[in-house]
Amino acid sequence: GVDLSAQPEYPFAFIRGNALELDFSGFDFVWASPKCQAHSTACHDTKRRADHQDQIAPIRERLLALTVPWVIENVPGAPLRNPVTLCGAMFGLGVVRHRMFETSWGAPQPPHPKHAGSLVTGEYVTVTGNGGVPKWTMTEREKRGLPRHVPGEMSLERWRAAMGIDWMSRKTLVQAIPPAYAELLGRSALELERQAA
């Protein structure tokens, strides 16, 4: 892992630095997760989104020069090329967390199963921000005569279970990608390498 800020909860080897300047030689696989604020619909203020630098183009330029597999991860709406979209429902996770992945090898798009429930009825949670429930969710609950909150939906334990991550704090969890997503893409890259050998 590489970040400008210390990441004490990161479970693997960590380098404090700028990924846009890091020497990638010696790496077998590179996964880039540029800041998403420039593209996130969670930021409803267009001016605030414009205040964030788009890091996707500069990191892509660096990755295109590599001979090893690479991934760029970001939110729906980000300018990724031929991305696959992954969702918690694909892995039996209790989180609504759609993320897009541009890969150097053209990872296949898995089927997207119908969500078995919703945020409104409490089968899924959203892991974002400071732990609140999206305003539209509470509005829809009121329309349906449901309680504004589902017991435990904002608890750290529920969020950890929903993401498949049992070691992170709330602050770190909101920035994380479920490990199941990374495993699927990693296995896809390994399969491609095995076929080429």
Side-chain angles (χ1 to χ4, degrees):
V2 179
D3 202 303
L4 287 171
S5 304
Q7 300 294 329
E9 295 180 59
Y10 191 74
F12 306 109
F14 180 77
I15 300 168
R16 190 165 181 179
N18 186 343
L20 292 172
E21 299 170 358
L22 186 72
D23 178 4
F24 290 132
S25 59
F27 285 84
D28 297 318
F29 186 96
V30 178
W31 178 295
S33 291
K35 288 188 171 198
C36 66
Q37 288 86 344
H39 312 290
S40 176
T41 56
C43 181
H44 298 291
D45 183 338
T46 312
K47 183 185 178 318
R48 280 185 54 213
R49 279 202 306 264
D51 289 342
H52 292 280
Q53 175 191 10
D54 178 8
Q55 297 180 337
I56 293 174
I59 197 69
R60 179 188 291 123
E61 184 177 337
R62 296 209 57 224
L63 296 177
L64 285 170
L66 299 178
T67 58
V68 297
W70 54 262
V71 172
I72 302 173
E73 170 272 325
N74 220 275
V75 295
L80 298 182
R81 298 176 181 167
N82 303 311
V84 298
T85 300
L86 298 181
C87 165
M90 296 173 174
F91 305 94
L93 297 173
V95 66
V96 173
R97 195 170 196 77
H98 293 103
R99 288 296 182 270
M100 295 170 37
F101 301 86
E102 176 181 335
T103 68
S104 60
W105 68 95
Q109 173 66 58
H112 192 166
K114 183 173 171 38
H115 293 178
S118 74
L119 289 171
V120 175
T121 51
E123 289 83 10
Y124 292 96
V125 293
T126 184
V127 178
T128 58
N130 295 318
V133 176
K135 186 176 178 181
W136 71 265
T137 304
M138 288 197 282
T139 301
E140 184 61 27
R141 286 174 179 171
E142 287 174 357
K143 284 182 189 173
R144 296 186 190 186
L146 298 170
R148 287 174 56 88
H149 292 284
V150 172
E153 72 184 334
M154 294 182 292
S155 72
L156 179 58
E157 294 75 23
R158 174 84 188 273
W159 280 20
R160 285 175 169 172
M163 292 278 285
I165 301 173
D166 62 4
W167 65 89
M168 289 183 180
S169 65
R170 187 180 301 276
K171 182 180 177 183
T172 308
L173 203 59
V174 299
Q175 299 297 322
I177 297 300
Y181 295 15
E183 182 178 354
L184 178 94
L185 293 171
R187 288 186 185 280
S188 172
L190 286 171
E191 178 59 23
L192 185 74
E193 186 177 292
R194 186 191 65 77
Q195 291 173 6

